[in-house]
Amino acid sequence: SDVTNPVNCGTFEYKASATVFATTTSPLTYWATEATTLSFTGQNLDHVQNVLVDEEDCEITNATPTSLECSLPILPAGTHFITLINPFGKAKVTSHVIEGVLTVDSIEPSTGSIVGGTLVTVTGQGFGVNASLVTVFIGNTSCHVVSVTDTEIDCVTESSAVVHQVNNFANNPNFGLGKA
């Protein structure tokens, strides 16, 4: 193409009326495994087609020009990024992260067998109620989840023992083969 003679094939215009502005997000923290409504206030929020939290869809339940609500999907604890999408692109979100939290208040008992089989109770808040969504590790060893409430997890430890096979081919002249 000839750069010295550009062809005018149209125009592009940035418009505030085509931009969604979310000035507040609420809540900024939530219990990680609890059903939560995410709320926004701002401008042109009725233009939002999708709300993504990380890559998960937050189903829009109510939208007006100045407010928007969606049902937050169940997400693990941690920081999650929000994206509002409208027909003209992405929205400007003042606070574009939310934090899913959970707390651990106690773990009982505090000791158990290295070969596993110890029933461990973890108490706190924000664990949810679906055992298939909960994973517990004690150190690097899995603890098999047997029940979950929002405030308590019961799990059974697995073996953390490592079996070492020792071959002693020493030969002590006074004590014999296998003696060092």
Side-chain angles (χ1 to χ4, degrees), residues 39 50 52 55 80 90 92 95 113 115 117 132 138 140 161 170:
S39 301
N50 295 87
L52 297 177
E55 297 300 317
H80 303 285
K90 296 181 179 178
K92 177 162 177 41
S95 177
S113 170
V115 293
S132 69
I138 298 175
N140 292 327

Side-chain angles (χ1 to χ4, degrees), residues 166-180:
V166 177
N167 293 318
N168 184 353
F169 298 108
N171 189 4
N172 186 298
N174 295 328
F175 301 108
L177 185 62
K179 310 290 187 204

Side-chain angles (χ1 to χ4, degrees), residues 21-41:
F21 295 93
T23 53
T24 64
T25 304
S26 177
L28 295 177
T29 61
Y30 67 96
W31 291 113
T33 55
E34 197 172 280
T36 302
T37 297
L38 195 55
S39 301
F40 304 91
T41 59

Side-chain angles (χ1 to χ4, degrees), residues 11-21 43-50 83-92:
T11 62
F12 184 87
E13 181 180 358
Y14 289 101
K15 286 186 159 188
S17 63
T19 304
V20 172
F21 295 93
Q43 298 173 350
N44 302 322
L45 293 171
D46 54 338
H47 296 303
V48 173
Q49 293 177 317
N50 295 87
T83 305
L84 303 180
I85 300 171
N86 69 52
F88 305 106
K90 296 181 179 178
K92 177 162 177 41

Side-chain angles (χ1 to χ4, degrees), residues 3-151:
V3 179
T4 58
N5 294 314
V7 175
N8 185 357
C9 59
T11 62
F12 184 87
E13 181 180 358
Y14 289 101
K15 286 186 159 188
S17 63
T19 304
V20 172
F21 295 93
T23 53
T24 64
T25 304
S26 177
L28 295 177
T29 61
Y30 67 96
W31 291 113
T33 55
E34 197 172 280
T36 302
T37 297
L38 195 55
S39 301
F40 304 91
T41 59
Q43 298 173 350
N44 302 322
L45 293 171
D46 54 338
H47 296 303
V48 173
Q49 293 177 317
N50 295 87
V51 178
L52 297 177
V53 180
D54 292 338
E55 297 300 317
E56 299 292 325
D57 187 44
C58 188
E59 183 182 341
I60 297 172
T61 57
N62 187 36
T64 70
T66 59
S67 68
L68 175 76
E69 292 181 340
C70 65
S71 296
L72 194 62
I74 300 298
L75 299 165
T79 301
H80 303 285
F81 295 90
I82 301 168
T83 305
L84 303 180
I85 300 171
N86 69 52
F88 305 106
K90 296 181 179 178
K92 177 162 177 41
V93 181
T94 301
S95 177
H96 62 279
V97 296
I98 56 173
E99 185 79 21
V101 296
L102 62 83
T103 61
V104 174
D105 298 323
S106 68
I107 302 172
E108 293 291 331
S110 59
T111 59
S113 170
I114 63 170
V115 293
T118 303
L119 178 65
V120 175
T121 300
V122 180
T123 58
Q125 188 167 355
F127 302 140
V129 294
N130 186 342
S132 69
L133 298 176
V134 176
T135 304
V136 176
F137 283 87
I138 298 175
N140 292 327
T141 304
S142 179
C143 192
H144 176 72
V145 176
V146 293
S147 68
V148 176
T149 68
D150 196 52
T151 59

